[in-house]
Amino acid sequence: MNDTADCSTLGDKTALRRELRRRRRTLSPSQQKQAAITLCQRLKQLPEIQRSKRISLYLPVNGEIDPTPLLPWLRQRKVSIYLPVLRPFSANCLWFVAYRESTPMVKNRFGIAEPCSRFAADRRNRLPAWALDTLIVPLVGFDQQANRMGMGGGFYDRSLAFMRYQGPAPTLIGVAHACQQVATLPVEPWDIPLGMVVSDTMVIRPTKTG
């Protein structure tokens, strides 16, 4: 169900985040599983995914839609897979670290599994964000123009700030449950725009203007 709620009807952004996170947590395990399967079927059909050789995705928590059913398909295609890792000694920034079946994992301060610090600190296991082909990123909410609402920490916006300027850059694909769509979201100056949003029911690309 796509609700038409926005910040004006749900109060401020904190209240909107709380409501959208509640929506996705109300989905049953079977609904979550089916949504993940359908999402990954849609992702496989995207040219941006089919031609990617270096992809970052995430491990879901707190009801986030699960992109990991894509992993066997990516590995079969010899795609290099990366995960976002909290960068040490840096305010709310991310490293992108190789994720293999043998990668040693730990939980970070948010309870999210990520490659352990010793593995991540080895530069041979990392890739700069600009060298990735595609980033699949989680959303708290999205709207009809593919605007994204994240958790509020600014991790992706800070880590991808280079995309405001010309140069190599990955395609950003936001993914979410359909129930996380709202009519409109506020756009802040520091927001890094998405190339598209993919849910279990649709693909939304921003309308080009000018």
Side-chain angles (χ1 to χ4, degrees):
M1 180 181 69
N2 293 338
D3 203 292
T4 57
D6 58 19
C7 282
S8 63
T9 59
L10 287 173
D12 59 17
K13 292 174 72 173
T14 300
L16 181 57
R17 281 193 180 93
R18 187 182 306 116
E19 164 62 16
L20 293 175
R21 291 175 70 187
R22 183 198 65 77
R23 288 185 195 177
R24 72 188 187 194
R25 285 196 305 268
T26 62
L27 297 172
S28 69
S30 62
Q31 289 174 315
Q32 286 270 3
K33 182 178 180 179
Q34 185 56 53
I37 292 170
T38 306
L39 169 77
C40 291
Q41 289 172 343
R42 292 183 183 279
L43 290 172
K44 290 176 186 178
Q45 295 171 6
L46 296 174
E48 292 88 349
I49 295 289
Q50 293 175 359
R51 63 175 174 252
S52 290
K53 297 299 181 184
R54 298 169 298 275
I55 289 180
S56 173
L57 46 73
Y58 66 92
L59 304 182
V61 293
N62 298 325
E64 291 173 338
I65 199 165
D66 185 359
T68 62
L70 200 63
L71 287 171
W73 183 79
L74 292 174
R75 288 177 172 141
Q76 184 179 30
R77 294 166 67 91
K78 309 298 183 185
V79 175
S80 297
I81 301 162
Y82 295 80
L83 290 177
V85 172
L86 298 182
R87 183 175 174 178
F89 314 116
S90 182
N92 293 11
C93 283
L94 301 170
W95 276 339
F96 295 92
V97 179
Y99 181 49
R100 310 178 188 102
E101 292 179 318
S102 60
T103 299
M105 305 291 286
V106 296
K107 287 191 176 182
N108 64 25
R109 66 178 186 268
F110 298 112
I112 302 170
E114 65 179 26
C116 74
S117 57
R118 185 172 181 178
F119 183 86
D122 188 335
R123 293 190 178 188
R124 292 172 297 180
N125 296 324
R126 303 200 311 262
L127 199 67
W130 59 262
L132 291 163
D133 297 316
T134 303
L135 267 77
I136 297 173
V137 301
L139 310 176
V140 173
F142 66 98
D143 68 14
Q144 299 169 26
Q145 287 299 315
N147 294 312
R148 169 183 182 266
M149 174 174 279
M151 287 296 295
F155 291 94
Y156 282 98
D157 289 324
R158 287 185 179 88
S159 304
L160 301 173
F162 67 90
M163 292 183 64
R164 296 191 182 96
Y165 311 101
Q166 288 187 339
T171 298
L172 301 186
I173 302 177
V175 295
H177 294 285
C179 64
Q180 295 171 247
Q181 183 178 359
V182 298
T184 58
L185 285 172
V187 179
E188 306 291 354
W190 55 83
D191 288 342
I192 303 298
L194 298 171
M196 71 191 79
V197 171
V198 183
S199 76
D200 47 315
T201 64
M202 68 185 74
V203 176
I204 298 177
R205 295 179 185 265
T207 303
K208 294 181 179 181
T209 59

